[in-house]
Structures are given as C-alpha cells and as structure tokens.
C-alpha cells in the first residue's frame, strides 16, 4: 500500500492539485452534486502566486500552535529567531525551492496503511483479519480508502489533527451493520494511524458537506460508491489541518484543487503540467514542511 507516496501525489502540491482522475471528480449529470465549498478568489490568486504559507516552522511537533497565512512576497524561509513580535512574524527572502527535497519522519515505526476488507490479513505475517479490538468484520469499501489514507499521511505533518493518538470504533454509514475499531498504533506495535483514518472515512464533516465521512460525501457528490473526489480531499485536508476552523477560515486554509484541463493548450503539454506538479510538491515540502 503506497499511501505515503500517494499522499505526495494527491495532497501536497503548492499552487496546483493537478488531476487526471475519473470523470466523477467533476459531476455533470442532474443526479450528481458539485462541491458547495467556495474559496475566495483573492486567496486563490495568492495561492497560485506561491504566497500561501502553512505557518509551520521546521521541527514543529503535534499539538503546537500554527496558522497558515498569505505573504506579501512569494515564498519564505524558516522564521527568524530574532523576530521582534513572535518567532513567526518575520521571514528572510528565499529565491526559490530546490529541485528536490525530502521531509523527515520521526523515529517511530510508522507505516500508514488502510485496513483490509476483513477477509485479508491486517497485520503482515500474522494472517489476522480482525481489527485492533479482535472484532471480525466484512467491508469491501475499506479497499476504497486510498484517498483517505493519502489524506491521513498528508495530515501527519500538520500540528493538528492528533492523528497519532486517535482511537475509534466506527460504523460504516455506507455498509449497514459493519463497524471496526482501530488505534493509531496497531496490535503489532506499528503506527498505521488507522484510528484517525476511519474517522476521516466515515465521520469527519466539513461545514459545507451534506454527509459525514469522506467516502459518504464523495458518494453524494459523484453518485458513485467507493473512492473520494478531489474536492472532498481538499475540504477534508483544510478542515482538519485548520483544527476544524479554530485556526481561521478553514476553506481558505492551504489546499486547492486545480484540474489538468487548465493546462490544455499550453506549450509543451503535458510536460508543462508534470513539471508544475513536481515543483509545487517540492515547494510545499521545502517552505511549508507539509
């Protein structure tokens, strides 16, 4: 399950979340429902101009205070230690991000992976198909959690939410009677962050959503059962990273969705699209640490 790699591809580009995803990402029929979330046009212009910063300094941990912000000039470096007002009130100018950059991981056994459908093993090498509480379930929609797992991986690098200590017993609203229980750390002592993952899949609810849960809201939007739309990924990331709006306007917090159609007709398409996506990813990792 290459969910961490998927998180990079799906969840962290700076100025553009470029997608060649399934048709249901852009609902068109009368039975489908486009996203009700609107983002401020001025904020979107700042995002495209590389002026939206996460507010996260290098080495910040879970639960520490942070707030995304719009900068007056594109991009920033680490906060100055001698800032007059607060550690995050001044930024030295930086000419640009490097061609590649890697975020570090804490020294714990972390392997973010979605649960099985209940008929395949959940813990490699054990043959155990039950959840962390020893409960046996059967839910084939758990194999639709790639976007949910990617969101979980991306949110690991934000101070909020506390996806490293979540514990959950959650019913699947899309599968009658099916539930499972998960912790951040599974019974084989591996941190897979499944307790928070199941909350994202079935419980989180941004203010503009009709249904709770990333999968359920995506089903409402797309009229297709299983998987998540990119608009729902964007909303979930902004809602959760903003600590459910506690840190400011959640919808204009950090993430946007840009469709690859915006690159059609550009010179050297599709390389123009790929190069932009790659640089946006590096830009976010280097400057915003997410």
């Amino acid at each position: 399950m290459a969910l961490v790699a998927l998180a990079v591809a799906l969840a962290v580009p700076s100025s553009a979340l470029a997608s060649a995803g399934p048709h249901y990402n852009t609902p068109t029929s009368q039975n489908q429902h486009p996203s009700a979330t609107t983002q401020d046009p001025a904020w979107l212009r700042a995002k495209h101009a590389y002026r939206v910063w996460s507010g996260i300094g290098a080495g910040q941990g879970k639960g520490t205070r942070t707030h995304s912000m719009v900068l007056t000039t594109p991009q920033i470096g680490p906060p100055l230690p001698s800032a007059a007002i607060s550690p995050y009130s001044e930024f030295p100018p930086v000419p640009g991000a490097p061609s590649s950059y890697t975020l570090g991981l804490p020294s714990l056994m972390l392997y973010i992976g979605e649960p099985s459908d209940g008929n395949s093993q959940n813990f490699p090498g054990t043959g155990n198909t039950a959840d962390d509480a020893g409960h046996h379930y059967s839910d084939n929609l758990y194999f639709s959690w790639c976007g949910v797992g990617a969101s979980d991986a991306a949110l690991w690098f934000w101070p909020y939410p506390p996806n490293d200590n979540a514990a959950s017993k959650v019913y699947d609203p899309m599968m009658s009677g099916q539930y499972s229980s998960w912790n951040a750390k599974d019974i084989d002592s591996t941190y897979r962050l499944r307790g928070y993952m199941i909350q994202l899949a079935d419980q989180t609810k941004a203010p503009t959503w009709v249904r709770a849960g990333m999968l359920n809201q995506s089903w409402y939007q797309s009229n297709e059962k299983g998987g998540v739309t990119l608009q729902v990924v964007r909303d979930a990331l902004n809602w959760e990273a903003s600590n459910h709006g506690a840190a400011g306007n959640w919808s204009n917090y950090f993430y946007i969705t840009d469709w690859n159609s915006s690159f059609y007709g550009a010179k050297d398409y599709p390389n123009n699209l790929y190069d932009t996506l790659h640089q946006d990813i590096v830009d976010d990792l280097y400057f915003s640490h997410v």
Side-chain angles (χ1 to χ4, degrees):
M1 303 175 193
L3 291 181
V4 174
L6 178 60
V8 171
L10 184 62
V12 294
S14 175
S15 71
L17 182 57
S19 169
H23 66 86
Y24 58 74
N25 280 318
T26 50
T28 55
S29 83
Q30 62 181 353
N31 295 322
Q32 296 170 322
H33 308 275
S35 173
T37 304
T38 58
Q39 293 180 300
D40 179 61
W43 183 84
L44 288 172
R45 287 194 294 271
K47 183 68 176 177
H48 283 113
Y50 299 92
R51 291 194 294 114
V52 175
W53 179 48
S54 68
I56 300 173
Q60 277 192 246
K62 283 290 186 181
T64 55
R65 296 183 64 182
T66 190
H67 194 300
S68 65
M69 61 187 71
V70 175
L71 308 170
T72 56
T73 57
Q75 287 309 352
I76 47 88
L80 288 175
S82 59
I85 300 175
S86 77
Y88 304 103
S89 62
E90 296 181 28
F91 332 97
V94 175
S99 61
S100 63
Y101 191 75
T102 303
L103 286 179
L105 284 171
S107 57
L108 52 80
M109 195 173 180
L110 179 66
Y111 177 79
I112 299 176
E114 74 269 25
S116 80
D117 61 355
N119 300 307
S120 304
Q121 65 179 2
N122 276 309
F123 316 105
T126 66
N128 188 344
T129 62
D131 63 14
D132 281 337
H135 169 71
H136 289 274
Y137 62 91
S138 179
D139 192 331
N140 67 324
L141 290 180
Y142 285 11
F143 281 149
S144 298
W145 281 18
C146 293
V148 176
S151 301
D152 196 358
L155 288 164
W156 169 261
F157 296 97
W158 287 89
Y160 294 100
N163 48 339
D164 56 341
N165 63 11
S168 304
K169 174 183 176 181
V170 177
Y171 281 86
D172 185 345
M174 300 168 67
M175 291 285 286
S176 179
Q178 293 300 320
Y179 72 89
S180 60
S181 301
W182 302 100
N183 303 312
K185 183 178 182 180
D186 285 325
I187 58 175
D188 62 349
S189 299
T190 300
Y191 283 90
R192 296 186 180 87
L193 310 187
R194 289 171 171 170
Y196 179 65
M197 200 181 302
I198 199 170
Q199 291 178 8
L200 289 175
D202 296 330
Q203 289 186 327
T204 193
K205 189 175 187 291
T208 55
W209 290 4
V210 173
R211 298 175 179 173
M214 291 179 68
L215 266 73
N216 209 12
Q217 174 65 14
S218 296
W219 184 18
Y220 170 78
Q221 283 187 358
S222 68
N223 204 33
E224 295 193 24
K225 193 173 185 178
V228 293
T229 66
L230 295 188
Q231 299 98 315
V232 163
V233 171
R234 174 202 62 201
D235 290 353
L237 290 173
N238 284 330
W239 177 240
E240 296 295 321
S242 68
N243 194 20
H244 292 181
N249 187 338
W250 73 271
S251 63
N252 300 321
Y253 196 71
F254 191 76
Y255 294 100
I256 68 174
T257 300
D258 269 352
W259 302 104
N260 60 4
S261 58
S262 64
F263 288 82
Y264 289 159
K267 184 179 179 180
D268 198 25
Y269 176 85
N271 289 335
N272 179 283
L273 167 66
Y274 301 152
D275 290 344
T276 300
L277 176 61
H278 170 81
Q279 194 56 50
D280 286 349
I281 292 171
V282 175
D283 180 88
D284 272 3
L285 299 181
Y286 182 72
F287 290 111
S288 286
H289 307 291
V290 293

